[in-house]
Amino acid sequence: MPVEKHDLIHELPESKDTIHHLKTSNNHFAKLYHEYHEVETDVHRFETGAENTSDEHLEDLKKQRLHLKDQLFQMIQEHEASASE
């Protein structure tokens, strides 16, 4: 069974334009997006077996990824809500 990537644009395809806009106009969003991408890449490497790590480290990375995703998602929702007003 293939391991699914959790790339933010694939997770939120309906927000692709908002993500692009925020990446180019909001430094904080861009920083969080970059961190999310790095953590997601690490998780994917470990889950596919390309590299090995402890279960504890993998779980920590997954928690970090979820925390970053929550922050990014909140920023996306706030931007989309303010744009529709």
Side-chain angles (χ1 to χ4, degrees), residues 21-60:
H21 173 75
L22 288 171
K23 279 183 1 186
T24 59
S25 66
N26 183 314
N27 289 336
H28 182 62
F29 184 91
K31 179 181 175 285
L32 292 176
Y33 183 88
H34 179 72
E35 287 179 39
Y36 177 86
H37 179 72
E38 286 183 349
V39 172
E40 167 53 26
T41 299
D42 289 345
V43 168
H44 191 259
R45 265 196 342 262
F46 295 133
E47 287 184 332
T48 59
E51 290 183 37
N52 293 322
T53 191
S54 68
D55 289 342
E56 182 178 309
H57 183 245
L58 181 58
E59 287 304 311
D60 287 345

Side-chain angles (χ1 to χ4, degrees), residues 10 47 61:
H10 289 97
E47 287 184 332
L61 286 172

Side-chain angles (χ1 to χ4, degrees), residues 8-9 12 15-34 69-83:
L8 195 62
I9 292 175
L12 303 168
S15 298
K16 181 179 178 180
D17 292 338
T18 301
I19 292 168
H20 176 73
H21 173 75
L22 288 171
K23 279 183 1 186
T24 59
S25 66
N26 183 314
N27 289 336
H28 182 62
F29 184 91
K31 179 181 175 285
L32 292 176
Y33 183 88
H34 179 72
K69 183 177 176 183
D70 287 345
Q71 290 178 74
L72 291 163
F73 184 66
Q74 181 178 357
M75 292 175 79
I76 291 166
Q77 282 187 311
E78 288 171 0
H79 178 78
E80 288 176 345
S82 69

